[in-house]
Amino acid sequence: MQGDTEAAAMRRDLFAAMLAAALHDAPDQNQIKRQLISFRIARKHAASGLLDTARFGTDPRRSRIALGVISQQLSACDRLVIGRIPLGA
């Protein structure tokens, strides 16, 4: 679990640095930041349901499916944002 936490922190920090670099000279940084925060909150809410099902679900099949979706989403994010840098185990 500790490796997952460290990998999540690395993803978050790398994405924040990339975002800051991309927005450095943007004409309307505040509007973009508001939209990104709104999007991030909506995605966190969606991810929360998957995590609840994966960890605390009473149906083993649904729990496995939720865990698989989470793994696929994290892998896709890693490939899109950071390429082939290995994160976690």
Side-chain angles (χ1 to χ4, degrees):
M1 196 66 175
Q2 180 67 22
D4 291 342
T5 303
E6 290 172 2
M10 180 183 256
R11 278 186 195 94
R12 183 190 62 239
D13 293 346
L14 180 57
F15 186 75
M18 290 170 49
L19 183 60
L23 292 178
H24 181 70
D25 292 327
D28 192 3
Q29 291 182 25
N30 291 331
Q31 176 65 21
I32 295 169
K33 287 179 182 178
R34 282 192 297 274
Q35 290 173 340
L36 288 172
I37 288 171
S38 177
F39 179 79
R40 186 174 176 208
I41 290 169
R43 295 298 93 211
K44 278 186 168 186
H45 182 70
S48 174
L50 280 173
L51 289 170
D52 284 347
T53 300
R55 289 201 176 179
F56 307 114
T58 57
D59 182 346
R61 182 178 170 274
R62 289 188 65 184
S63 294
R64 279 193 313 273
I65 290 169
L67 187 59
V69 170
I70 291 167
S71 294
Q72 288 175 345
Q73 290 178 348
L74 285 174
S75 293
C77 178
D78 287 347
R79 286 190 308 274
L80 179 66
V81 176
I82 58 176
R84 298 284 182 198
I85 298 172
L87 295 176

